[in-house]
Amino acid sequence: WRLNERHYGALQGLSKERTAERLGRELVMRWRRSYDARPPTMLPHHPHYDMIQKDRRYQHLENEIPLAESLQDCQQRAVEAWQDIVKNIHDTQKQQESH
């Protein structure tokens, strides 16, 4: 899950153009382009909520799946995932070399 694309919260699955018309282009662009601005949180009544939050692949995560992310949040989780992957590869190689 940590390498999934950004979670746009309440904006997930909505048309960019229609959302900009409804809420204002400047606000929508701030959520989409700003490094640290999170869009509104996805609530349980959102049509994609169950698809994301109740996906069986993620049941073991117990509320780790975010309900909205800024670009900063997304970058942080992706970098952490990448670091874990590289560390696991490095550790495995060290183990194989020692045997």
Side-chain angles (χ1 to χ4, degrees):
W1 78 272
R2 294 184 304 162
L3 295 177
N4 286 353
E5 63 185 87
R6 180 179 174 192
H7 189 323
Y8 280 97
L11 305 180
Q12 195 78 25
L14 300 178
S15 157
K16 287 179 257 185
E17 290 303 315
R18 190 174 294 158
T19 303
E21 289 169 8
R22 205 173 84 228
L23 301 175
R25 183 164 306 285
E26 193 172 309
L27 180 58
V28 172
M29 291 309 290
R30 176 169 152 60
W31 288 329
R32 292 183 50 77
R33 300 289 181 232
S34 173
Y35 183 65
D36 59 354
R38 267 189 211 108
T41 300
M42 180 183 280
L43 300 175
H45 65 272
H46 190 284
H48 295 169
Y49 183 88
D50 286 346
M51 179 176 66
I52 294 169
Q53 294 297 320
K54 296 184 179 182
D55 188 310
R56 342 179 256 119
R57 295 173 294 176
Y58 310 134
Q59 285 178 348
H60 66 287
L61 295 174
E62 302 234 359
N63 300 322
E64 283 186 51
I65 304 293
L67 296 174
E69 290 182 298
S70 65
L71 286 172
Q72 182 179 19
D73 298 330
C74 186
Q75 177 188 21
Q76 181 177 342
R77 77 170 156 80
V79 167
E80 288 172 2
W82 178 250
Q83 289 170 339
D84 288 347
I85 290 167
V86 170
K87 182 183 182 314
N88 288 339
I89 291 169
H90 181 262
D91 291 349
T92 300
Q93 287 175 342
K94 280 187 99 167
Q95 274 184 335
Q96 289 173 349
E97 289 171 4
S98 69
H99 286 36

